[in-house]
Amino acid sequence: MVKPQRLNTCNAFALRQATRYVSQLYEKHLAPVGLTGPQFSLLAQLEGDGLTMAELARLLVTDRTTLVRTLQPLQRDGLVVATPKGKGSRQLILALTAEGRERLKAALPLWREAQDEFEGRVGLTEAENLRRQLLKLTQHI
């Protein structure tokens, strides 16, 4: 049996616990526009040019199944559209619709509130350092 004090030295435990807290914080702020944290991240990644499923999955560091589950309600609600990359191509390009761009625009101030709350709790410098270190973990994936 793992003793509770040993969990305090477990990186996976600490990251999961922090992830749950941060996810709840952002989802509380994004709720008024009907987006989850993963949906917001997906819309933000699609803000510019469209991306293929593989490109988007790589950017979000997720698998195809999870990506499809996150995409389905966004497509159903008309926020994201998938179109063939070229004539006869099986590869799809994902892009925001006009409604998707509007939803993202409405979500941005709420996301900013979540950022501010997190940075207020952790400290601006600490939040920047933490973000830099966490992004470094997935840089080479």
Side-chain angles (χ1 to χ4, degrees), residues 15-65:
L15 282 168
R16 280 190 199 105
Q17 190 176 45
T19 298
R20 284 190 293 273
Y21 166 76
V22 173
S23 293
Q24 290 168 3
L25 170 75
Y26 279 76
E27 291 191 6
K28 173 185 74 171
H29 283 276
L30 293 170
V33 291
L35 293 174
T36 65
Q39 289 171 337
F40 174 82
S41 295
L42 194 150
L43 293 179
Q45 288 296 331
L46 292 176
E47 186 177 17
D49 294 334
L51 298 168
T52 66
M53 292 278 281
E55 291 167 333
L56 187 56
R58 190 171 48 255
L59 284 169
L60 296 174
V61 189
T62 192
D63 61 89
R64 183 178 169 84
T65 303

Side-chain angles (χ1 to χ4, degrees), residues 39-123:
Q39 289 171 337
F40 174 82
S41 295
L42 194 150
L43 293 179
Q45 288 296 331
L46 292 176
E47 186 177 17
D49 294 334
L51 298 168
T52 66
M53 292 278 281
E55 291 167 333
L56 187 56
R58 190 171 48 255
L59 284 169
L60 296 174
V61 189
T62 192
D63 61 89
R64 183 178 169 84
T65 303
T66 303
L67 180 57
V68 168
R69 271 197 312 266
T70 305
L71 267 170
Q72 285 173 335
L74 298 174
Q75 289 177 297
R76 179 197 66 222
D77 295 346
L79 305 178
V80 174
V81 65
T83 56
K85 188 171 183 175
K87 189 173 179 152
S89 175
R90 291 179 51 195
Q91 201 171 29
L92 298 175
I93 298 290
L94 301 165
L96 293 181
T97 63
E99 190 173 340
R101 285 189 294 280
E102 285 301 313
R103 183 78 63 93
L104 179 60
K105 184 178 176 183
L108 284 169
L110 303 174
W111 169 82
R112 182 73 252 166
E113 289 174 8
Q115 287 279 102
D116 291 344
E117 184 174 336
F118 178 80
E119 290 167 353
R121 179 171 176 137
V122 175

